[in-house]
Structure formats: structure tokens, C-alpha cells
Amino acid sequence: MIGTKIKAAVITFVMTAAMLGGNVSASIIDFDSTDASKATELKENQEVYVKVDGEKNEADLYKFVPEHTGYYRVLTRKGDEMYFCPGVFLYDSNFGILNSYQAINSPQLEIKYCGYTFELKKGETYYVKAKSSNSQQVSDYHLKFVFATSDTSSKLGWMMLENQWYYFDKTGLMARGWMEIGSYWYYFGADHAMATGWQKIKKSSDDEGTWYYFDKPLGHMITGWKLINGKWYYFNTSGEMATGWKAVNGKWYYFNIDGDMVTGWKSVEGSWYYFNKDGDMATGWKAAGGNWYYLNSNGTMKTGWLYSGGKWYYLVSSGNMVTGKCIIDGVTYIFDSNGVCTNP
């Protein structure tokens, strides 16, 4: 009620339980009289710097009228650091305290903003103000309202903050780490932001980490083949980047230590292999660089005498097939233009 001073009771939330996803306990403290006519209007996504009266240990009053019906995040920060401002409460037009859902972060995590989730109605007037208890001191902070989702049947949903995507689970908590959403897997870092592109993720503190790739800009974990910056990579069903030998659909491929698929010649553990332009390992006869080579059934390059199709061939130490006259172990042999020995 504009211009009317109202005495209200404030519920002070015990932050630790809320931040960690537990139940929120409450106690009652006195609230100084509040003059709604002096409230500063705050627009959606508008960030304000809130000054605090040091003597009263309370901040200025702000008014907010939502543009949507649904869930909003009341977010606070201090400088470039996250900040759960103690005693930040939201009130309806009659200064009745509103119940929040779970806190959306904890002080141990490295996110710039943090705060609570509220269900608000479009066009209605709400007020926000910070006042601390005797054990909690309020200091200057930044404040803004961000619309999350209109789905009031649940608190699930995506929200973008400063060009980063975040996801809130059914309790209103920000996702962190691995999460399956719909039919896709996503990864949310220590700052709770959705990962995109290359990410090296550890399974434990002493683990060196495994490379994954998350779609840009959608963020879901990639599996199977993926062309990245002109190179092909393969990601297992678990999302882990393949390295070394990998059988895919009955064909063998080889991936470098950086994960890119090999084509052409490759020496692996002392043996030479040839990989076609599509990356699959070659076997049998193969023309490459103007010469003919023969790859055994296991892909290794053949050298020396080769008996194939009832005919004799000879492949030198570099693997290429001989044609014309060639002295082998002191004996002169003649090979025709197809490499077939005419005097075996």
C-alpha cells in the first residue's frame, strides 16, 4: 500500500542449510517500519548497486513488477565474487513475506551470482529489502531479478546469465557436474555454467582427466564421429575421446594422442600401416604415392617375398612392389609391369 508505513515480521533463513539443499529453518526478528512510497523500481534483468545504511544495518527498498508469470531468480553478488546477502527477503504488495524455493548456490562454489528462486505473477507488485539479524552484517551488494521459466508445474529449466547457460533441477538447485536432461548428457563446471567445446574432465582428484566434446552452442555431449576444425574425432558411447586403435562398424581406425583420426601412412609400435582417406585401415594391395604396397590382413605393411593369387611378388624394405630387374640375395629376378616375378 503506497505511502503507508507497515510493521512486518521478517523470517531470517539459516543460510547453510538452504545453500546445501537441506531444509530451511527460520526465526522471527523485528523489521523497522517500511515506507513503500520510497521504493526504487527495479526492471527485469536490471542490475543495481544496493547501498546499506551502516547504522540500521539495512538496505534501501526496491519494487519489482514481473513481466511474466513463473519462476524468477533473485540474484546477488559483491564485486566479481558470489555473495549470499544475509537477510535479503521478498515481499508481496502487502509486505507479506514470500516463501522461496531452495538456494541456487553454495558459498564453496565459484559462481558470480547466487540467490533464491521465487514464483511470481505478472503485473503484481513485489518488494525486496535486506536487513540482517544481530549475527549477520549486511554490506553493499549488487542485485537483479532474472526470469527463469514459466513452467510453474515444476522448477526445472534452463536459464541464461551473462551469455552462459545454467540448469536448475526440480528443487531449484543449479546443476553441477554430469546431468542427463532429456535424451542428452550435459556437463556443468565448478561455476555451474554449461560446458561447450573441448573439456578435460577428471573422474577423481588423482585422475589425469579425459577429453570430451560438447556441442556448440547446444552443449550436449557428443558421441560417435565429429568433425572439429577440419579433423575427424571419435567419441565412445560414454563420450570419452578415442585414442589409439578403435573398431567402428567392423573397420579399424587409428587416432593420434590428441584424438584426431589418422589417414595415410602411420608407424605404430614398429610396424607400418596405411589408412584410407576415410580413415579405415587398408588391407591387401594398395596404390599410394605412385607405388604399390601390400598390407597383411592385420594391416601391417608386407616386405620381402609375397605369394598371392598363385604368383610371386617382391616388396623392398620400404614396402613398395618391385618391377623390372632386381638382384635378391645374389640372384637376378625379372618382374613384369604388374610386379609378377617371371623367373621365380
Side-chain angles (χ1 to χ4, degrees), residues 86-292:
V88 173
F89 301 105
L90 195 65
Y91 308 89
D92 61 23
S93 58
N94 294 315
F95 281 89
I97 190 78
L98 294 181
N99 292 323
S100 74
Y101 294 100
Q102 298 284 40
I104 59 175
N105 202 1
S106 75
Q108 290 79 17
L109 304 180
E110 303 169 356
I111 187 164
K112 191 171 185 180
Y113 291 99
C114 50
Y116 287 96
T117 306
F118 291 90
E119 182 179 353
L120 306 181
K121 294 182 179 179
K122 178 181 178 180
E124 293 197 2
T125 300
Y126 299 90
Y127 296 94
V128 62
K129 186 172 184 175
K131 178 176 174 63
S132 74
S133 64
N134 293 332
S135 62
Q136 294 175 319
Q137 297 299 311
V138 179
S139 59
D140 297 351
Y141 64 97
H142 290 82
L143 168 74
K144 72 175 177 179
F145 282 75
V146 177
F147 177 66
T149 177
S150 59
D151 181 9
T152 56
S153 63
S154 70
K155 292 176 283 298
L156 291 171
W158 291 96
M159 181 173 68
M160 177 172 278
L161 292 173
E162 296 192 341
N163 297 318
Q164 294 279 3
W165 281 104
Y166 301 85
Y167 189 82
F168 296 83
D169 66 17
K170 62 184 179 180
T171 68
L173 290 173
M174 264 186 182
R176 185 186 184 194
W178 288 104
M179 175 166 282
E180 186 176 17
I181 303 171
S183 57
Y184 294 101
W185 280 95
Y186 298 82
Y187 187 81
F188 300 87
D191 62 354
H192 294 262
M194 180 190 75
T196 61
W198 288 107
Q199 302 289 331
K200 195 172 188 180
I201 300 172
K202 292 184 176 183
K203 296 178 181 178
S204 61
S205 59
D206 57 352
D207 178 33
E208 293 184 359
T210 302
W211 284 104
Y212 297 80
Y213 191 83
F214 298 87
D215 184 78
K216 293 181 178 180
L218 301 179
H220 59 270
M221 183 189 77
I222 295 297
T223 60
W225 291 103
K226 180 69 176 178
L227 181 64
I228 305 170
N229 296 330
K231 297 180 179 181
W232 282 100
Y233 298 81
Y234 189 84
F235 299 89
N236 299 320
T237 55
S238 63
E240 297 181 358
M241 181 190 75
T243 59
W245 289 105
K246 180 69 181 178
V248 182
N249 295 328
K251 297 180 179 181
W252 283 97
Y253 299 82
Y254 192 85
F255 299 89
N256 288 319
I257 190 66
D258 292 329
D260 55 305
M261 182 190 75
V262 170
T263 59
W265 289 106
K266 177 71 175 180
S267 177
V268 181
E269 296 181 353
S271 297
W272 282 97
Y273 298 81
Y274 188 87
F275 298 88
N276 297 316
K277 64 179 181 179
D278 291 331
D280 57 305
M281 183 188 75
T283 59
W285 288 105
K286 182 68 184 180
N291 294 306
W292 280 95

